[in-house]
Structure formats: C-alpha cells, structure tokens
Amino acid sequence: MKTSCYRVGGHTYKVNFLDDVNSDVLLPSSEPFKLDGVAEDETLLFEMNVNDGWRPAKRGSEIGQFDCGGNNHGVYQLEDGSYQILVSDCMGHQCCLIEGSPDFHDVKVCLNGNYAMRTFGLNNALMMTYAFAGADKKTVLMHASVIRENEDKAYLCLGVSGTGKSTHTSNWLKWVPNTDLMNDDNPV
C-alpha cells in the first residue's frame, strides 16, 4: 500500500493506493498540496482507498444523473445511505466508480482505462469527495479561475466550461502588473 496525504483549504485528506497499478503519479496537480505525513491524531476530512480490484457488493438505486462539463456522472444510493457515483468522460467511457459513506469520510474508488482516463477519474473522485465531505464544514469547492492582484485582492471568474474564465485570467496575467494566478480550476 502506498499512501499520500494532502492539505487543501485547511483540510487534510489521505489517499491510499491499495494495488500496484495506481499511485500519486495520477495526481500531478495535487503535488503542491502534498504532505510528508499526518499526525496520528489529526482529523481527516476524508480517507480514500483506490483499488482497481474492488467491486461493490451491489449497485444502489439511481437518484440522478448530472453533466459536468460534457461528462456524465450517475449517482446511486445504497440502503445504508452511502452513495455510488459512476464517472464517465465526454466520450461516454466509464473512468471511475466511487462509493462513499453518507458523510463521504470513507471512500472507495475503482479506476478504469488508460492513464488519461484514470487521471480524469481520480481527479473527479477527489473533487467530488472533497466537496461533499466539506459541505458541512463551511467549505465550498467551485469551478472557477482566481487571479490575485498585489497579494491583497483576489478576483473570482466563474461560469460554465468554455466561457473564457481561463482566457480572462491569462489576460490579467499578461496586461495587469503585480498579478498572479491562485487557481485555474477548483478553488476552495
């Protein structure tokens, strides 16, 4: 087992890679948030176990489908209140199955496909798990681009995928002095 720990937005979480196929190589954008480890008594926002050999005991009842930037995600609920989310890419390929406890503190993930599909699936699993586990902790994860000016003001650009958030912030970087990019995808 390989374990990686991260701290984002003041919350710490752990990802355990239980097989020999997956590792934190699938999470290059998480590297700046990586920790050397966590104290045994530290409260985790969630713990995620990634294992391609895991299969759910049964499929839950469908409670909805949602589109995330052209990618479909199916949401299912089990009798014990836990959730299953099936993540598909824009080509309709199933990349990831997530099963989370009702509070998303304990999560299991099975990845599928090539490197790009696995990276996509695991990143989506982390984003959704973080959002659901942090929902009752005054934490919001949003799809946006954030530019900082003079290290004391930040501007959030949000909108649906493809509307120019990243283009807008790149223009700030190019034309407005003393600006830097805080986050170009999912600020917390």
Side-chain angles (χ1 to χ4, degrees):
M1 176 170 78
K2 297 165 276 193
T3 297
S4 294
C5 301
Y6 304 90
R7 185 170 294 123
V8 176
H11 298 295
T12 302
Y13 59 90
K14 188 184 289 189
V15 181
N16 302 308
F17 297 95
L18 304 178
D19 57 30
D20 294 330
V21 177
N22 301 299
S23 72
D24 60 3
V25 170
L26 296 171
L27 300 171
S29 60
S30 295
E31 191 63 30
F33 306 100
K34 194 171 183 180
L35 303 172
D36 290 332
V38 295
E40 205 170 297
D41 62 344
E42 184 165 356
T43 301
L44 298 176
L45 180 63
F46 63 86
E47 187 164 356
M48 178 179 285
N49 291 315
V50 180
N51 182 358
D52 287 359
W54 166 74
R55 296 293 181 268
K58 64 181 202 172
R59 189 176 201 156
S61 300
E62 184 175 331
I63 59 173
Q65 300 277 325
F66 69 96
D67 181 295
C68 181
N71 308 296
N72 184 66
H73 302 333
V75 183
Y76 308 86
Q77 191 166 32
L78 295 169
E79 292 172 5
D80 68 357
S82 59
Y83 295 92
Q84 294 172 331
I85 302 172
L86 183 57
V87 177
S88 299
D89 65 14
C90 59
M91 301 297 291
H93 301 124
Q94 296 176 352
C95 300
C96 175
L97 175 62
I98 307 162
E99 187 169 290
S101 59
D103 62 359
F104 277 85
H105 184 269
D106 300 297
V107 177
K108 297 179 223 169
V109 171
C110 177
L111 302 174
N112 184 46
N114 61 29
Y115 175 81
M117 291 169 64
R118 288 171 180 282
T119 300
F120 177 81
L122 186 55
N123 276 285
N124 273 267
L126 281 173
M127 286 187 290
M128 285 187 272
T129 300
Y130 188 100
F132 295 138
D136 65 343
K137 294 168 183 57
K138 298 183 180 181
T139 302
V140 176
L141 180 76
M142 51 185 109
H143 183 204
S145 186
V146 182
I147 194 86
R148 180 172 44 195
E149 181 181 22
N150 296 321
E151 295 190 22
D152 65 346
K153 293 180 183 176
Y155 300 93
L156 181 82
C157 301
L158 38 101
V160 298
S161 294
T163 58
K165 298 178 298 294
S166 297
T167 301
H168 186 77
T169 54
S170 69
N171 281 328
W172 274 67
L173 294 171
K174 184 176 179 179
W175 299 106
V176 180
N178 301 315
T179 58
D180 67 328
L181 183 64
M182 290 181 70
N183 191 300
D184 193 39
D185 190 25
N186 289 99
V188 175

